[in-house]
Amino acid sequence: MACKTKDLEKLLDVYALLTSTLDLKAVLTEVLNKAGAALKAEASNIMLLDAATGELVYEVALGEAGPRIMEQTRLKAGVGLSGWVAKNLRPLLVEDAYKDPRFFPGLDKKTGFHTKSVICVPLFAKEQLIGVAQVINKKDGAAFTPGDQVLFTRYCGVAAIAIDNSLLHGKALQQDRLQHDMRIAEEIQSASLPSDIPSIRNLRVECRSLACRYVAGDVVDITRLPDGRLAVLVADVSGKGVPAALFGAKFSADFEYLAQADPEGGALFNRLNAIVTKRSKRGIFITAVYAVIDPASGSVEFVNAGHLPPIIVGPAAGACRLAGASDNPPLGIMEDITYKSTRLTLATGERIVFMTDGVWDAKSPSGARLGPEKVNEILADCPELAVPRLMKAISRFTEGQALADDITVVGVGYGDYEERTFSSETKSLAQARKFVEKLALAHGFDDRNTGAILLALTEAVSNIIKHTYRMNPDEKIRIGVGRSPDQFSVHIRDWGDRQDPGRFVSRDLADIRPGGLGVRYIREVMDVVEFDDKLWDGNELHMLVRGKGNK
């Protein structure tokens, strides 16, 4: 009885070690030391299962031959007593190893150790094999007994807990590192997105992007060239996640550098293809479309490298056409390819939309694909709001499901369009009103209708200053005004936290004082009012009035 009590005390000492350290090797060494002392064993070892190869890997080996055993590192699956135990998931008690056909004497020959009696026990965590433990040879020369096996199995239970704890801790650390790396990658990529889109007279430029795995393999670049034209790049790196994002980040840097020297599409893509082909590993390639748009004439010169063709919508609702399919292969597929540009001209009120194939591949919970036909229908329904409506449609269609691929959409509308940026302070309201008033009167609205539009503008801007920016005068608000023969539009953009316009409390409409009427009044004045929170930074309010005015 006293002997059993001492064995129990030693076992409890080992259990206590589990709460004192996460050093796996130290815990396993102590387990084997205690077990060896209790069983009066000459040697012992613990091997962990390499799930990828099925091999057993020596983690700890004690005894005179321990250092030489550790030099062997691995034991192939099914080899020897340990291999048999790992394969059959059953313990073994062997009185004389050399009489057992399952015994592999190769280690004895290499180490000079002579194995006699062995207890070999599988180690489990959550009913899955994680390793094998052994004690070898009693010091008095006798064979191990079934009682010894029961006691050693208890020690092995402690070893299994230690191994499982270590694996869980390692996974937690790995997950933390991965999450940390992903957050950094996401921040770096967000900083590279074109947040401050250039303001160019006659061009309304919009950009949206969604990543399917924290970070995207999509690349976007929107730049005003020195001659006043707009350059737009939309590219998609094959693959997803961090590898695609890193490859895309390098491609983006190459593009910016080369485009400064010569922004013309064909020659630019020839140079980019040479770089991507040389750098590409594991079959990575890039589809891309690059366009240079003249705000004075609406002319577009673009080159398409295996990308989705741009879509042109407007000026009337329902009008939709493709800009032409690509005859050029993706970048990085073939060397010595000559990329050719295509030309077209946008009519006043038309909008050219560039996107990555993640838009087409967006899926509903049932697995249905959004597809090109539905995308074209959404874009053509209201050309002025094509981009924000498409992003909202994707959100509704997917119902929060994980995206199948990264999504990027860039729209460029051509026509009578101007925009100004104002500071987020009350005194800016007068400047903003004056800017919009001039354009509303020029559009043909009388003083009464112009006044209603200005009151709606005041409500919207006041809400941004008060609710979104919380009276911080250092922030900015951008107001864009578009005019076409049958429509007057106002777009108000901020870079604050995402807002819920429904929370803005409205006063009774009989009280016509500015401030506090909120979205309710704006909807009374405007024919179309849509709040857009699908930008990666900030919010945008779109307000449309149909008609040319009544002068």
Side-chain angles (χ1 to χ4, degrees):
M1 183 70 178
C3 183
K4 288 185 178 180
T5 301
K6 289 183 180 179
D7 290 339
L8 180 60
E9 288 176 351
K10 293 177 181 177
L11 192 59
L12 290 175
D13 288 343
V14 176
Y15 270 110
L17 187 62
L18 292 175
T19 63
S20 65
T21 180
L22 289 171
D23 186 336
L24 178 62
K25 199 173 285 287
V27 175
L28 296 184
T29 298
E30 187 64 12
V31 169
L32 290 181
N33 275 326
K34 296 287 187 182
L39 297 173
K40 299 180 175 58
E42 290 184 353
S44 57
N45 60 67
I46 290 178
M47 290 167 278
L48 302 184
L49 177 68
D50 183 342
T53 64
E55 295 176 321
L56 293 171
V57 182
Y58 285 98
E59 182 70 16
V60 178
L62 303 183
E64 182 181 341
R68 292 191 294 276
I69 290 175
M70 290 297 293
E71 291 175 1
Q72 307 306 310
T73 309
R74 290 175 177 265
L75 186 67
K76 292 183 179 180
V79 173
L81 300 178
S82 297
W84 186 92
V85 167
K87 183 178 180 180
N88 292 272
L89 306 179
R90 299 199 331 247
L92 272 180
L93 171 58
V94 177
E95 295 185 1
D96 189 338
Y98 278 85
K99 292 181 179 180
D100 192 309
R102 294 167 296 190
F103 176 65
F104 173 65
L107 282 178
D108 278 9
K109 294 178 180 178
K110 290 182 179 180
T111 62
F113 187 80
H114 184 76
T115 301
K116 299 175 184 177
S117 185
V118 179
I119 298 175
C120 191
V121 176
L123 305 177
F124 297 100
K126 301 177 181 65
E127 300 183 354
Q128 297 293 319
L129 181 74
I130 56 175
V132 174
Q134 289 187 123
V135 283
I136 306 168
N137 295 357
K138 272 185 169 293
K139 291 180 179 179
D140 61 4
F144 289 113
T145 68
D148 293 331
Q149 180 177 323
V150 171
L151 181 58
F152 184 56
T153 300
R154 291 176 179 172
Y155 279 97
C156 288
V158 180
I161 294 173
I163 296 168
D164 190 37
N165 286 345
S166 177
L167 293 174
L168 290 174
H169 181 65
K171 288 180 180 178
L173 290 177
Q174 184 179 21
Q175 187 67 22
D176 286 344
R177 286 194 295 267
L178 177 61
Q179 292 290 340
H180 178 261
D181 291 346
M182 292 293 279
R183 285 194 295 270
I184 292 176
E186 186 176 16
E187 290 172 4
I188 292 172
Q189 187 177 49
S190 295
S192 69
L193 292 171
S195 176
D196 192 11
I197 293 174
S199 177
I200 301 178
R201 179 79 167 84
N202 294 340
L203 296 181
R204 169 160 168 72
V205 187
E206 302 171 276
C207 180
R208 306 287 189 275
S209 184
L210 294 173
C212 68
R213 296 183 182 176
Y214 293 96
V215 290
D218 291 356
V219 177
V220 187
D221 192 281
I222 303 174
T223 305
R224 178 178 183 145
L225 300 177
D227 61 8
R229 293 181 299 167
L230 178 74
V232 175
L233 171 76
V234 175
D236 186 0
V237 181
S238 61
K240 304 176 183 67
V242 173
L246 293 175
F247 199 89
K250 180 59 178 171
F251 172 75
S252 180
D254 292 334
F255 168 81
E256 290 184 6
Y257 175 75
L258 293 174
Q260 289 178 356
D262 183 1
E264 301 309 321
L268 175 59
F269 268 39
N270 290 337
R271 296 192 298 275
L272 285 170
N273 182 60
I275 293 174
V276 175
T277 302
K278 183 177 180 180
R279 183 183 300 137
S280 178
K281 304 294 183 183
R282 299 180 182 178
I284 292 180
F285 60 89
I286 299 176
T287 68
V289 59
Y290 171 69
V292 177
I293 304 169
D294 187 345
S297 64
S299 68
V300 181
E301 179 180 358
F302 70 96
V303 57
N304 190 332
H307 202 80
L308 296 186
I311 298 170
I312 300 172
V313 294
C320 179
R321 60 188 174 97
L322 296 181
S326 172
D327 294 328
N328 301 308
L331 301 170
I333 295 291
M334 302 172 63
E335 296 184 54
D336 301 323
I337 294 293
T338 300
Y339 286 85
K340 298 180 180 179
S341 297
T342 302
R343 292 182 179 273
L344 59 86
T345 300
L346 297 174
T348 299
E350 286 189 325
R351 176 168 271 93
I352 184 168
V353 181
F354 310 89
M355 68 185 74
T356 55
D357 58 7
V359 176
W360 288 3
D361 292 336
K363 292 183 179 179
S364 69
S366 66
R369 182 169 171 262
L370 186 60
E373 293 80 9
K374 185 63 177 177
V375 169
N376 293 355
E377 179 184 326
I378 296 166
L379 291 174
D381 180 61
C382 181
E384 182 73 16
L385 301 179
V387 173
R389 284 193 174 183
L390 177 59
M391 300 306 289
K392 287 185 178 181
I394 292 171
S395 295
R396 289 193 301 268
F397 186 76
T398 59
E399 295 182 22
Q401 300 295 307
L403 296 173
D405 200 354
D406 307 324
I407 288 176
T408 295
V409 181
V410 175
V412 181
Y414 171 67
D416 192 337
Y417 180 78
E418 292 185 55
E419 61 185 26
R420 299 284 186 276
T421 301
F422 304 91
S423 59
S424 61
E425 46 191 337
T426 305
K427 68 179 183 180
S428 296
L429 280 172
Q431 299 170 347
R433 287 170 60 92
K434 185 176 181 180
F435 166 61
V436 176
E437 179 183 29
K438 177 182 176 182
L439 295 173
L441 292 172
H443 188 69
F445 290 117
D446 59 19
D447 290 341
R448 177 176 174 277
N449 288 329
T450 297
I453 292 172
L454 295 180
L455 187 53
L457 172 77
T458 302
E459 291 297 325
V461 175
S462 296
N463 282 332
I464 294 173
I465 294 172
K466 180 180 179 181
H467 297 289
T468 304
Y469 286 145
R470 299 177 178 84
M471 308 303 291
N472 182 354
D474 296 327
E475 303 293 346
K476 59 183 179 178
I477 300 170
R478 190 176 66 198
I479 299 174
V481 177
R483 296 190 294 146
S484 65
D486 60 351
Q487 184 172 273
F488 184 85
S489 61
V490 180
H491 308 273
I492 306 174
R493 169 85 151 92
D494 67 66
W495 285 264
D497 295 335
R498 291 186 175 182
Q499 299 294 314
D500 175 10
R503 73 181 182 86
F504 300 151
V505 180
S506 300
R507 296 198 318 270
D508 191 290
L509 294 183
D511 186 351
I512 61 171
R513 291 179 294 109
L517 292 175
V519 176
R520 179 182 174 186
Y521 176 76
I522 295 172
R523 294 190 185 281
E524 290 289 327
V525 174
M526 298 295 192
D527 293 317
V528 178
V529 178
E530 295 191 10
F531 186 76
D532 184 5
D533 63 351
K534 300 304 180 186
L535 298 88
W536 56 78
D537 56 346
N539 313 273
E540 192 161 8
L541 184 66
H542 309 283
M543 305 186 297
L544 278 62
V545 180
R546 305 295 188 193
K548 181 64 178 174
N550 53 12
K551 278 192 176 180

